[in-house]
Amino acid sequence: MLSYFALITLVKLSGLLIPFIWFLWISNRRWRSWGIIAIVALFIVSYINTYFNLPDLAYPSLIDGWLMWLIMGFVVVVVLRRFVFNPDAVKERSVNEDNFFSRLMRNFGITIGWLGRLVGAAVLAIVILMVLSGTASVITSMNPKPAVSSIKTDLNNSTDGAPMPVIKNSAETPVVNAPQTVSTDMNNSLNSFKNSNVYDLNHMRVQMYNGKMVYVAPVEFSGGFWRYIHYQKVPGYFMTNATDKNADPKFVAKPMRYTPSAYFNRDADRRINAYSMGYTMVGDTSQLEVDNNGTPYYVRTLAKPISYFNRNYDFKHYKVAVLNTVSGKVHVYSPNKVPKFVDVAATPELVQKEVSMFGRYRHGFWNATSFGGHNDVMKPTQAGTEGGKTLTPYAYKGRIYYFTGMTSVNSHQSSILGYAFVDARTNTLHYYREHGNVMTPERAISYAQQDINPQNYKGTLPLLYRINGHPTWVVSMLDRDNNSFMKFVYLLADGNNQSGTYAVGDDAQSTLEIFQQRVGAKTGTTVEPKVTGKTISGTVERVVKPDDKQILFILKGDSHVYRMDTSAKSFEPIFQFIQPGDKVSFKATATDKNQLATASVGLDTYQNQSIKTQK
C-alpha cells in the first residue's frame, strides 16, 4: 500500500517537473545536487502529509495542487536564476527604462526593482489561482443542471406504487428502534467481551440481514494509538433488530484488524483512500456491513465531480469501495457490480446531496432564485436520522430505501408536496407526488410530543405507513435522559391531530387497534382485524374483562394475552361467557414473545362448540 501513496505523492508534485527541468538546465553541478536533495526532501514531507492526512484525490483537487506547485516552482527558479546564477543582473534597471508598469508606478513615486517584480509575479500567481477557484465555485453553484441530470430518477404523479410499507394487521410491526436507543443499548452491552473498557462504539449502519432490518455497529479503539499498539485488533461488532422494541444487542465475535480506528496500514479509511485516485471519499468514515455469513466489511462511496470547473457530484458514475476487515483487501466496484450483501452502496451523505439538488434545481438554477418562477422548488424535511437529519431508512421488500418528505421552501407551509425514496443499493431516486393534505414529519413530531407532554418524552424516527389506505405517521417516543423507547404515537397524516385521528400506546399492536377504532369511528368505517395466523388450541387459564369493549384471556402453557373485541360485528353473545377451563380453538397472530404481548383473535374462526361450561 505504501507504493500507492508514493504514486499519489508523485502525481501531486508533478507540477514541479517543468520548473525542475529548467532548474537543472540553468544550474551548475553543485546546485543540481542541492536541487535533487531538496526535491527528495519535499517528496518525503509531502508523502508523510498525504499518508496521514488523506487528502481529497478528486481530479479538481489534484489539478489545483498541480497548478500551485507549477507556479511556485517557476517563482523559485526565476529567483535563483536572477539572484544566484546571474548576480550581475541584480542591479536596478534605469529609471529611463521603457516599461509601462515601471512608468506607471513612478507616477506614484514608486520605483520597482527586481525583487518587487518577483513579489508582484508571486502575487499575480496567487490571484490566478484565486480566480480559477472562484470561477469553479461560481460555475458549481450556478450550473447544477449536469449534476441533477446525472441522478437516476423515477417520477410518479401519485403515491400509488410507492415503496411505503403497509400495515394491515397487528402482526406487522413498524420500525421502532431509533438510532439513539440502539446506540444506548449497545453501549450498555459493551461488557459482553473481554477488555471492553478499551473499546467504544462510534457509528452504526442500517442494513438487511437474513431478510430482517438490523443495525450494525463495529467496536472501535477508544484509547488512541497506544491502545491500538497493545491490542492490534477489535473483537467484533454488535447487531440489533430494528423492528423489535424488546430486542437486545447481540455481540458477534468477529475479530477485525482493519478498522477506521486502527493506525498506519491497517486504517480502513487509509486503505480505501489509496484506491480512490480521481474520486472523493464521501462521508466522515467508512461504514460496516456484514454478509450473510456474518463476515464484516467496511464500505465507502467514492464520488466523482462533473469537471474541473463544475465540482458538483456526478451521481451516476460513482464507485463503491469494499474492504475485507480480516485480510485488508480492497475492491472498488461500479454501481451495477456491487456484491449482493452490500445494502447501502450510496452513503446517506451522497443521497442527501442528490435529494436536495433534485428538489431545488430540477428546473434549473434561475427557477430556484428570487428572479425565477419557483416551479416545483422543494426541500427535504429535517426530521430524519441520517444524512444531516434529512433521511430515514426504510426496509421494503428486502431492500433499504432512504426516505424523506419533500416540502415547500416557504417556511410558512407545513404540508408534504411529495416523497423521495432512494434505493440505497442502486441510488435510484423514486419521487411520488402527494395530492392529499399530509403534514410534515416535523409537525407530526410536534403533535406527538404535545399529546403526551406530561411525560416530557421526545419524538423521533417519524415513518410514513399506509394503514387501511390512510397515510399515517408512526412516531417513536423516547425518554429524554436515556433514549429508552417509551411510547408509540400513530397520527393520521391529514388529521391535523384532531380528536379521533391519533392514538398513543405501549406497543405497536395495541396502538394500531386503538388507532383503527378511532379513525373508523371518525370516518364512519369499521375496521376489523383480519387474522391469518396459525390456529391455536388450548385450555383457558384466566379471563379478564377490563371494560365492555374487550375480553382478555390466557391459555395454559402459553404466555401470550389474547384479546376479543366485543364491538366487532363477528362477536357473538356466547363468547362473553368464556371462563377458565374452557377448550378453545381459534386463529391468532402473536409476534411478540414478551408476556404482555396481545394477539387479536379472529372471531370468524372461533369454534363455538369448543366453549363449554366447566364441570
Side-chain angles (χ1 to χ4, degrees):
M1 191 179 75
L2 296 177
S3 59
Y4 280 99
F5 283 97
L7 176 62
I8 292 170
T9 304
L10 287 174
V11 171
K12 289 177 59 181
L13 295 177
S14 61
L16 287 173
L17 180 60
I18 296 176
F20 186 63
I21 292 175
W22 186 25
F23 168 80
L24 294 177
W25 179 265
I26 65 175
S27 62
N28 56 33
R29 183 176 180 180
R30 178 186 177 190
W31 276 99
R32 290 191 191 104
S33 300
W34 281 110
I36 293 173
I37 293 174
I39 287 293
V40 172
L42 181 62
F43 174 84
I44 294 173
V45 172
S46 181
Y47 180 92
I48 294 173
N49 176 69
T50 302
Y51 183 82
F52 285 103
N53 293 330
L54 304 181
D56 184 9
L57 298 182
Y59 290 122
S61 297
L62 293 175
I63 293 174
D64 283 343
W66 186 89
L67 288 173
M68 180 190 71
W69 287 115
L70 176 70
I71 294 172
M72 289 178 59
F74 271 120
V75 170
V76 171
V77 174
V78 168
V79 169
L80 291 174
R81 179 176 180 273
R82 192 63 186 175
F83 291 95
V84 178
F85 304 142
N86 191 12
D88 294 336
V90 178
K91 298 178 181 180
E92 298 290 340
R93 288 184 177 182
S94 172
V95 295
N96 296 323
E97 213 172 13
D98 189 16
N99 183 293
F100 173 78
F101 183 73
S102 297
R103 293 199 307 270
L104 178 64
M105 298 307 294
R106 285 199 302 273
N107 291 334
F108 295 95
I110 302 174
T111 301
I112 300 297
W114 274 105
L115 182 60
R117 292 188 180 91
L118 288 174
V119 172
V123 172
L124 179 60
I126 294 174
V127 170
I128 291 174
L129 289 176
M130 292 178 64
V131 169
L132 289 174
S133 177
T135 302
S137 178
V138 171
I139 293 176
T140 299
S141 300
M142 298 186 65
N143 188 26
K145 185 176 180 180
V148 176
S149 298
S150 71
I151 301 173
K152 293 185 291 184
T153 56
D154 170 35
L155 304 181
N156 301 272
N157 194 41
S158 71
T159 59
D160 296 339
M164 190 184 302
V166 178
I167 299 180
K168 297 179 180 179
N169 55 57
S170 58
E172 296 163 330
T173 307
V175 175
V176 55
N177 289 327
Q180 304 98 306
T181 304
V182 174
S183 178
T184 300
D185 291 344
M186 286 182 175
N187 278 289
N188 290 337
S189 302
L190 277 176
N191 60 353
S192 302
F193 50 88
K194 186 179 179 180
N195 296 321
S196 60
N197 58 302
V198 302
Y199 300 104
D200 202 355
L201 296 171
N202 296 325
H203 58 89
M204 69 178 69
R205 168 163 282 188
V206 66
Q207 72 167 95
M208 302 299 296
Y209 182 72
N210 291 332
K212 296 181 179 179
M213 183 175 175
V214 299
Y215 286 102
V216 176
V219 175
E220 299 284 4
F221 294 105
S222 66
F225 177 75
W226 296 112
R227 291 281 175 83
Y228 165 74
I229 292 296
H230 184 79
Y231 292 97
Q232 294 290 306
K233 60 184 178 181
V234 297
Y237 58 88
F238 280 95
M239 180 181 294
T240 301
N241 191 305
T243 60
D244 183 0
K245 70 184 181 70
N246 297 309
D248 293 322
K250 177 185 176 182
F251 177 71
V252 181
K254 290 282 186 178
M256 297 181 285
R257 292 184 178 274
Y258 299 88
T259 69
S261 63
Y263 286 82
F264 303 116
N265 287 350
R266 291 184 179 176
D267 184 326
D269 291 327
R270 181 168 292 121
R271 296 192 73 85
I272 291 175
N273 181 265
Y275 290 81
S276 66
M277 180 72 78
Y279 290 82
T280 297
M281 297 193 301
V282 183
D284 295 331
T285 187
S286 304
Q287 297 290 326
L288 191 74
E289 290 205 34
V290 300
D291 62 17
N292 291 331
N293 297 321
T295 303
Y297 295 83
Y298 273 101
V299 179
R300 194 155 193 184
T301 305
L302 307 178
K304 180 181 180 181
I306 297 291
S307 66
Y308 174 75
F309 286 107
N310 191 337
R311 302 190 181 186
N312 290 308
Y313 288 150
D314 183 340
F315 296 107
K316 184 177 182 180
H317 299 98
Y318 62 94
K319 299 287 187 180
V320 182
V322 180
L323 164 70
N324 187 306
T325 62
V326 178
S327 67
K329 292 183 178 180
V330 177
H331 294 280
V332 179
Y333 300 94
S334 298
N336 58 342
K337 295 183 179 180
V338 176
K340 292 183 178 180
F341 72 85
V342 177
D343 294 296
V344 183
T347 191
E349 290 81 1
L350 181 74
V351 174
Q352 185 270 332
K353 287 181 179 294
E354 70 178 352
V355 168
S356 297
M357 294 193 71
F358 168 82
R360 190 170 188 86
Y361 299 118
R362 186 152 51 104
H363 297 297
F365 171 79
W366 292 109
N367 177 67
T369 68
S370 57
F371 303 101
H374 268 221
N375 179 30
D376 287 336
V377 177
M378 305 173 291
K379 65 178 180 181
T381 54
Q382 297 292 313
T385 59
E386 298 188 35
K389 295 185 178 180
T390 295
L391 308 171
T392 302
Y394 264 103
Y396 185 78
K397 293 185 177 181
R399 302 292 284 267
I400 295 294
Y401 286 84
Y402 279 109
F403 161 80
T404 185
M406 304 299 291
T407 187
S408 172
V409 293
N410 188 337
S411 59
H412 298 291
Q413 297 185 19
S414 58
S415 60
I416 291 291
L417 300 178
Y419 312 103
F421 289 87
V422 180
D423 189 322
R425 180 174 171 81
T426 66
N427 198 31
T428 302
L429 191 157
H430 303 269
Y431 176 73
Y432 300 87
R433 183 180 176 186
E434 175 60 71
H435 295 278
N437 177 26
V438 175
M439 71 178 79
T440 60
E442 295 96 327
R443 192 175 172 191
I445 288 178
S446 177
Y447 282 149
Q449 293 179 161
Q450 171 185 313
D451 293 333
I452 56 175
N453 189 52
Q455 289 84 3
N456 198 30
Y457 299 148
K458 61 180 179 182
T460 188
L461 201 68
L463 294 172
L464 196 62
Y465 293 85
R466 289 194 186 279
I467 299 179
N468 303 320
H470 302 294
T472 303
W473 287 110
V474 178
V475 181
S476 298
M477 306 303 296
L478 308 182
D479 182 270
R480 291 185 181 273
D481 296 326
N482 55 30
N483 291 320
S484 298
F485 175 85
M486 304 305 295
K487 296 283 185 181
F488 269 115
V489 179
Y490 285 50
L491 300 102
L492 195 64
D494 61 353
N496 293 319
N497 210 42
Q498 298 174 1
S499 176
T501 63
Y502 69 91
V504 181
D506 296 322
D507 59 76
Q509 293 89 344
S510 62
T511 312
L512 174 62
E513 293 168 5
I514 297 172
F515 178 75
Q516 289 177 322
Q517 292 173 4
R518 287 188 173 184
V519 173
K522 186 174 182 63
T523 60
T525 60
T526 302
V527 179
E528 294 188 29
K530 294 182 179 180
V531 181
T532 58
K534 64 181 181 179
T535 300
I536 298 174
S537 301
T539 303
V540 177
E541 177 77 14
R542 293 284 189 275
V543 179
V544 177
K545 298 180 180 179
D547 51 51
D548 295 335
K549 295 183 178 180
Q550 59 183 336
I551 299 174
L552 307 179
F553 64 92
I554 60 175
L555 304 179
K556 289 184 179 180
D558 188 344
S559 61
H560 289 101
V561 179
Y562 298 100
R563 175 182 180 272
M564 290 191 291
D565 185 358
T566 60
S567 63
K569 292 181 180 180
S570 56
F571 183 82
E572 299 182 15
I574 193 174
F575 294 161
Q576 63 186 317
F577 295 102
I578 188 173
Q579 59 182 333
D582 287 341
K583 304 285 186 180
V584 294
S585 179
F586 53 88
K587 282 189 176 181
T589 304
T591 59
D592 198 327
K593 296 181 180 179
N594 187 281
Q595 292 187 356
L596 298 179
T598 299
S600 297
V601 176
L603 300 177
D604 56 332
T605 63
Y606 208 107
Q607 297 183 10
N608 299 347
Q609 63 272 21
S610 66
I611 300 183
K612 300 178 181 179
T613 304
Q614 185 178 8
K615 297 181 180 179

